[in-house]
């Protein structure tokens, strides 16, 4: 199993090197946009990297006075991936327009960047520059020590970003690790933690743990108010501060989502779960009435959980969310009137519980049904609940005396789990 990490490293760049990097950023973005414009010029959008390379490489190199070949190919890859993303949205009936590359960055690989112990060598529009790493004062438990300078991780590439007047290199590292159990055992004999995502409750697990959206919504409204006040000023100072508010908002939300993802992984480990099942994030904004900010948060939470779970041999999967909020996790009866806001009451068997908790159980059960291969006398296969475990056929077994049956401090305790 492959574990990936990205470590941000600030660079010490002098004025001459900074000028070269700025020119490199501009040229890289121009290349990516040129290839993108070419991809969208015909009746059909071209997404093949090979075809785009054949049709644009020579022109791009000529018009950029021989820009570094590796960076030209990285820009082409960036354009092809963006084109694929647009086509994928179209296939799902979603609106999407031709991408525009404006964020100042450059994509590097081992051909265009060389990583040393204390500095990095980067290709530019005019040869290479060397920039020293600016590292935190503390030793030991930092991402730099744990990943970037670890013999266990391989450096695969990086993205150079220009942020607030600083040059920051986001270094990509990877490591091959063995799962705690074989992959087949994870699918056939594992225990699943179901996770439902929503607006009022950002995440709810099948074990009965709730992470409310109150704090997220509070700070989202607070930052929106700050931006509105600054926009009414209309000054250059206000415009600069609007950007600063956006960065602070994103940083706060990232910190919150990292905490929740850590607790989700801990929840899975404490309950012996080998799979964490999320609902598929496609169209989640339309399904839940979530804002763009919520949709961003859901995607980040999934991604953070995925890479953190991988370190412990736990896989993260997505399942079709259709009717998970309307289906009774107790008897399987599905009807729109089963759910009324956050309350769930089955019209058939009268099962009652919090609607998000019921949905989290259904998400776990759907993963089991999708991967069920029949009993083989192995370890129990089921969805972990806050009071035991339910299997794909509806059979229930109570938690052992050693099992954790409590819920998160922010959660509701439901006795009918």
């Amino acid at each position: 199993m492959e574990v990936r990490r990205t470590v941000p490293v600030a660079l010490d760049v002098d004025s001459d090197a900074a000028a070269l990097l700025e020119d490199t950023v501009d040229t890289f973005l121009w290349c990516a946009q040129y290839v993108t414009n070419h991809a969208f010029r015909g009746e059909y959008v071209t997404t093949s990297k090979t075809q785009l390379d054949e049709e644009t490489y020579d022109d791009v190199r000529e018009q950029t006075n021989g820009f570094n070949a590796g960076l030209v190919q990285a820009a082409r890859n960036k354009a092809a991936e963006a084109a694929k993303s647009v086509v994928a949205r179209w296939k799902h009936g979603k609106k999407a327009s031709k991408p525009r590359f404006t964020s100042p960055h450059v994509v590097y690989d081992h051909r265009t960047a060389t990583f040393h112990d204390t500095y990095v060598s980067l290709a530019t529009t005019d040869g290479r520059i060397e920039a020293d790493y600016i590292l935190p004062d503390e030793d030991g438990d930092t991402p730099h020590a744990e990943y970037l300078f670890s013999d266990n991780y391989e450096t695969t590439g990086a993205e150079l970003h220009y942020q607030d007047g600083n040059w920051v290199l986001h270094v990509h590292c990877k490591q091959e690790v063995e799962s705690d159990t074989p992959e087949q055992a994870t699918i056939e004999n594992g225990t699943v933690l179901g996770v439902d995502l929503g607006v009022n409750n950002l995440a709810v697990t099948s074990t009965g743990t709730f992470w409310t959206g109150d704090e997220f919504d509070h700070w989202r409204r607070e930052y929106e108010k700050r931006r509105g006040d600054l926009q009414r000023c209309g000054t250059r100072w206000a415009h600069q501060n609007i950007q600063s508010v956006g960065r602070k908002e994103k940083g706060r939300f990232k910190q919150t989502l990292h905490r929740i993802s850590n607790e989700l992984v801990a929840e899975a480990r404490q309950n012996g779960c080998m799979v964490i099942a999320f609902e598929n994030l496609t169209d989640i904004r339309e399904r839940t009435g979530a804002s763009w900010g919520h949709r961003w948060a859901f995607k980040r939470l999934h991604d953070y959980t995925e890479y953190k779970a991988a370190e412990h041999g736990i896989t993260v999967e997505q399942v079709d969310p259709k009717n998970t909020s309307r289906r009774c996790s107790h008897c399987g009866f599905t009807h729109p009137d089963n759910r009324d806001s956050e309350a769930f009451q089955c019209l058939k068997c009268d099962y009652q519980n919090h609607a998000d908790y019921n949905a989290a159980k259904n998400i776990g059960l759907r993963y089991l049904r999708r991967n069920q291969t029949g009993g083989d006398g192995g370890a129990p296969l089921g969805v972990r609940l806050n009071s035991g475990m339910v299997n794909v056929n509806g059979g229930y077994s109570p938690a052992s005396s050693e099992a954790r049956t409590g819920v998160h401090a922010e959660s509701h305790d439901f006795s009918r789990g």
Side-chain angles (χ1 to χ4, degrees):
M1 179 182 297
E2 195 173 88
V3 176
R4 292 182 176 270
R5 291 289 183 271
T6 298
V7 182
V9 184
L11 299 180
D12 184 7
V13 178
D14 61 31
S15 58
D16 291 339
L20 278 176
L21 289 179
E22 289 174 10
D23 190 39
T24 304
V25 167
D26 291 341
T27 306
F28 178 85
L29 297 180
W30 183 92
C31 293
Q33 194 64 58
Y34 181 92
V35 177
T36 298
N37 294 343
H38 180 88
F40 279 77
R41 71 176 185 173
E43 182 179 358
Y44 300 100
V45 177
T46 304
T47 59
S48 166
K49 293 180 183 179
T50 301
Q51 183 176 346
L52 288 173
D53 185 68
E54 292 174 351
E55 296 175 355
T56 65
Y57 179 79
D58 290 339
D59 288 342
V60 168
R61 290 270 286 170
E62 181 179 351
Q63 295 192 49
T64 57
N65 297 317
F67 189 45
N68 181 278
L71 294 179
V72 169
Q73 291 176 339
R76 173 211 64 201
N77 293 344
K78 192 83 175 179
E81 290 164 3
K84 287 180 181 178
S85 177
V86 169
V87 171
R89 286 188 60 82
W90 287 347
K91 287 181 177 179
H92 286 92
K94 302 298 175 184
K95 293 182 179 179
S97 57
K98 182 174 68 176
R100 302 286 180 185
F101 296 96
T102 58
S103 176
H105 74 285
V106 182
V107 178
Y108 285 93
D109 61 18
H110 276 298
R111 295 174 299 169
T112 52
T114 305
F115 303 92
H116 299 276
D117 290 341
T118 59
Y119 69 96
V120 65
S121 170
L122 301 172
T124 70
T125 50
D126 185 16
R128 282 180 171 252
I129 62 105
E130 293 181 354
D132 291 336
Y133 301 137
I134 302 176
L135 300 173
D137 293 333
E138 63 267 23
D139 296 325
D141 189 20
T142 67
H144 310 84
E146 190 173 356
Y147 308 120
L148 181 59
F149 303 125
S150 170
D151 293 335
N152 297 324
Y153 279 83
E154 172 191 357
T155 302
T156 60
E159 279 195 16
L160 178 68
H161 291 260
Y162 188 63
Q163 303 170 341
D164 306 328
N166 299 310
W167 294 96
V168 181
L169 195 65
H170 294 251
V171 185
H172 305 313
C173 308
K174 72 174 184 179
Q175 177 190 24
E176 292 291 337
V177 298
E178 294 184 4
S179 287
D180 293 345
T181 60
E183 182 177 357
Q184 189 67 16
T186 299
I187 294 176
E188 293 188 0
N189 300 317
T191 302
V192 181
L193 182 72
V195 182
D196 179 65
L197 302 173
V199 176
N200 293 333
N201 297 299
L202 284 180
V204 180
T205 66
S206 57
T207 52
T209 302
F210 284 60
W211 287 270
T212 72
D214 293 346
E215 181 182 359
F216 184 92
D217 288 337
H218 166 76
W219 284 109
R220 184 167 56 85
R221 289 191 298 267
E222 180 68 22
Y223 285 119
E224 284 177 355
K225 182 179 181 298
R226 293 181 190 178
R227 279 192 291 268
D229 292 341
L230 290 168
Q231 284 173 345
R232 282 188 287 273
C233 291
T235 64
R236 181 178 179 181
W237 172 87
H239 177 71
Q240 292 173 338
N241 275 272
I242 287 173
Q243 295 176 321
S244 176
V245 168
R247 289 189 294 271
K248 290 179 180 177
E249 178 184 31
K250 204 168 188 179
R252 178 181 289 274
F253 290 161
K254 282 184 178 180
Q255 185 179 25
T256 299
L257 295 170
H258 271 298
R259 174 180 60 79
I260 296 175
S261 64
N262 286 333
E263 293 175 1
L264 273 172
V265 173
E267 186 88 2
R269 296 184 67 199
Q270 289 170 8
N271 287 279
C273 299
M274 297 309 301
V275 177
I276 300 174
F278 283 83
E279 57 188 297
N280 191 293
L281 300 182
T282 304
D283 301 332
I284 193 170
R285 186 175 179 180
E286 291 79 359
R287 292 197 313 272
T288 64
S291 66
W292 178 90
H294 280 100
R295 186 178 182 276
W296 172 86
F298 297 151
K299 179 65 166 60
R300 288 277 182 171
L301 179 60
H302 171 274
D303 292 348
Y304 291 164
T305 304
E306 184 174 42
Y307 81 72
K308 292 174 182 180
E311 285 192 327
H312 305 286
I314 301 172
T315 60
V316 174
E317 303 286 347
Q318 293 187 23
V319 301
D320 183 359
K322 185 178 180 180
N323 289 327
T324 51
S325 65
R326 301 174 174 181
R327 181 186 183 277
C328 176
S329 60
H330 187 69
C331 73
F333 178 70
T334 302
H335 194 280
D337 293 338
N338 280 349
R339 177 168 186 166
D340 181 14
S341 186
E342 293 190 343
F344 185 92
Q345 182 172 0
C346 180
L347 298 179
K348 183 178 180 181
C349 73
D350 203 38
Y351 171 77
Q352 299 178 46
N353 221 311
H354 193 287
D356 294 340
Y357 176 56
N358 177 75
K361 292 199 291 183
N362 280 326
I363 288 168
L365 286 167
R366 181 155 294 172
Y367 175 82
L368 292 186
R369 291 188 181 92
R370 190 182 73 182
N371 296 280
Q372 177 73 356
T373 58
D376 60 357
L381 173 73
V383 177
R384 182 63 66 186
L385 309 180
N386 70 335
S387 59
M389 187 165 64
V390 63
N391 64 32
V392 72
N393 298 314
Y396 171 79
S397 60
S400 68
S401 59
E402 297 179 355
R404 176 181 176 273
T405 58
V407 292
H408 189 269
E410 297 176 353
S411 72
H412 308 277
D413 188 6
F414 298 110
S415 60
R416 296 190 63 182

